[in-house]
Amino acid sequence: MVGSETSGRLDRKGSEQIAWRRRAGPGPTVLWLGGFRSDMGGTKADALDRAAETHGWDYVRFDYYAHGESSGDWALATIGHWREDALAVIDRLTDGPLVLVGSSMGGWIACLAALARPERVKAMVLIAPAPDFTELLMKPRLSPEALAAIERRGEWIETSGYEGPYAITRKFLDDGRDWQILGGPIAVHVPVRILQGQLDPDVPWTHALKLADQLATQDVVFSLIKDGDHRLSSPANLRRITGAVSEAVNLI
């Protein structure tokens, strides 16, 4: 039987707290890993919660450090810190097999978590996955002025895009470089389903395809949505996402 959604805060190092929500159910745990500057109340995360209620999944979602309802100083946030958040949630809030669902940056975090906890992760669904985006997608798009400011002052305030103004720090870029995974084969050996919009302005479909090619597993299905953008939040795309997660759950 599927219970009502519960919520709480997970104590982390120092005074940090990670906000989380859970809908308990039988079977493998579906763990939502959100994107850069997104939160666990987004359209796709909510759609998966409704699907969890309908299908009886055990479903967990959370906000990374300095995201949403969690505590944190954005200037100190890094990919490595968010990886640690995901592993803390896995280790302290879940047990048994996992299906990781990663959106955009969450696709990178999902891969890092799968590499760190191979005995737990049994399948992954990746939505417009953006591994190594700090070095390969973000940095090349920064203006010479921005790069000079990061070098001189340690940060640049980015005002473009739909995330709103935020700081891009030297610490963030340097840390992201340390967690790159696209330099060779990626030792992920579980079924992976990738959904990618061909019209995505943030993550080119060729970037996601490179990830698919470098995953060690042969059980990869790459779905290219011709009219899809980066968010993939239309009703039709939400159905595609929940369908892919349902397939992944049933594979375990």
Side-chain angles (χ1 to χ4, degrees), residues 179-211:
W179 290 107
Q180 292 181 95
I181 59 174
L182 290 178
I186 302 167
V188 169
H189 300 279
V190 301
V192 179
R193 302 294 178 259
I194 299 176
L195 296 91
Q196 174 67 44
Q198 189 171 348
L199 303 181
D200 188 336
D202 300 306
V203 180
W205 66 269
T206 51
H207 186 84
L209 187 61
K210 184 175 182 180
L211 171 64

Side-chain angles (χ1 to χ4, degrees), residues 143-158:
S143 66
E145 178 188 9
L147 293 171
I150 291 169
E151 184 62 29
R152 184 175 63 255
R153 302 196 308 265
E155 71 172 21
W156 166 260
I157 304 302
E158 179 61 58

Side-chain angles (χ1 to χ4, degrees), residues 3-18:
S4 59
E5 188 177 55
T6 58
S7 63
R9 303 184 74 84
L10 183 66
D11 290 333
R12 295 274 285 119
K13 53 190 176 183
S15 59
E16 294 176 19
Q17 289 188 324
I18 297 300

Side-chain angles (χ1 to χ4, degrees), residues 22 24-30 55-59 95-99 249 252:
R22 182 174 200 159
T29 298
V30 175
H55 297 292
W57 303 335
D58 188 70
Y59 177 55
D95 54 57
L98 293 164
V99 174
V249 168
I252 299 174

Side-chain angles (χ1 to χ4, degrees), residues 219-241:
D219 190 354
V220 178
V221 177
F222 185 94
S223 299
L224 184 63
I225 302 165
K226 188 172 183 178
D227 65 348
D229 60 6
H230 184 62
R231 292 181 181 274
L232 294 181
S233 292
S234 70
N237 287 326
L238 293 177
R239 288 192 295 271
R240 290 185 176 103
I241 291 167

Side-chain angles (χ1 to χ4, degrees), residues 18 56 79 81 102 108-109 112 130 158 178 193 196 218-219 241 244:
I18 297 300
I79 297 297
H81 200 135
W108 188 3
I109 302 297
L112 292 173
E158 179 61 58
D178 292 341
R193 302 294 178 259
Q196 174 67 44
Q218 295 300 302
D219 190 354
I241 291 167

Side-chain angles (χ1 to χ4, degrees), residues 33-39 64 67 74 77 79 82 103-106 133-134 138 158 162-163 166-168 172 230:
L33 298 164
F36 182 68
R37 294 184 60 79
S38 67
D39 60 62
Y64 306 113
H67 282 70
W74 180 260
I79 297 297
W82 298 331
S103 176
S104 193
M105 181 191 77
F133 81 90
T134 52
M138 176 181 279
E158 179 61 58
Y162 41 66
E163 301 95 351
Y166 61 94
I168 298 174
F172 177 70
H230 184 62

